[in-house]
Amino acid sequence: MKPVFLIKGECMVSVTNLYLCRMYLISKLKHQATPDELAELQEFMAALKQMPQDLGRLLYLKYFTMGEYRPRYLGHPRSHHRKLPLGIRRNWCVKCGTHPEMAEILGITRQEVSFLEKRAVKALAETLLEMRLANAQTEAMEV
């Protein structure tokens, strides 16, 4: 997946594979998440709901429905000696759905899945940027 970076004014949005995987981890491990991570997850889910329905469903299918997570140091020969670092991102690793798997489920070609995913990521980034700009404007008005 090609990452998307959008900047407008003082707001910046970066939507990458790691960002989407982190949102999946936070949604599954809410009891270990910090308040900032939970706020970021709420912003992400609100943006996902505002996107066009077919594009939002594609991202949800790949990262949330088909996603799997496991402890990062599982199977490491010295894992019982190693102290796990703090935070969700460092303790867990994620595997999301692949394009061939998604193409089989959706009944379309891999190329179409790739094209739709690029559109979905760009739409998500634009929606997040609009939300952050609106939020920054409201905070400026309150001050």
Side-chain angles (χ1 to χ4, degrees):
M1 179 186 90
K2 186 177 179 182
V4 175
F5 300 99
L6 296 176
I7 299 173
K8 188 171 186 180
E10 294 188 14
C11 289
M12 182 190 85
V13 173
S14 168
V15 178
T16 64
N17 190 28
L18 294 174
Y19 171 77
L20 294 168
C21 289
R22 189 173 81 236
M23 291 300 109
Y24 167 70
L25 274 178
I26 293 169
S27 72
K28 292 296 181 184
L29 303 168
K30 289 180 184 173
H31 62 282
Q32 294 180 11
T34 64
D36 291 339
E37 290 172 333
L38 291 174
E40 192 176 3
L41 177 66
Q42 287 178 344
E43 179 188 45
F44 169 77
M45 292 307 257
L48 202 62
K49 289 177 183 175
Q50 288 182 9
M51 289 175 51
Q53 194 173 19
D54 58 338
L55 300 178
R57 283 184 180 173
L58 183 82
L59 290 177
Y60 194 84
L61 172 69
K62 181 174 182 176
Y63 291 96
F64 288 77
T65 306
M66 298 174 74
E68 299 173 2
Y69 67 98
R70 65 174 175 78
R72 185 170 296 281
Y73 299 114
L74 185 67
H76 191 277
R78 295 184 305 252
S79 62
H80 62 281
H81 297 295
R82 185 180 294 219
K83 289 183 180 178
L84 293 177
L86 299 174
I88 289 178
R89 289 178 276 179
R90 295 183 186 145
N91 286 336
W92 302 90
C93 56
V94 176
K95 178 185 173 239
C96 60
T98 62
H99 286 181
E101 292 171 342
M102 291 177 60
E104 187 177 324
I105 290 171
L106 297 173
I108 57 178
T109 65
R110 278 182 31 205
Q111 185 178 11
E112 291 171 331
V113 169
S114 178
F115 176 72
L116 285 173
E117 185 182 11
K118 286 178 190 175
R119 283 185 45 210
V121 169
K122 185 166 179 150
L124 176 64
E126 290 170 352
T127 306
L128 280 171
L129 186 63
E130 288 173 10
M131 288 176 63
R132 288 182 185 172
L133 284 171
N135 190 23
Q137 187 178 21
T138 338
E139 287 176 1
M141 292 174 123
E142 289 175 359
V143 174

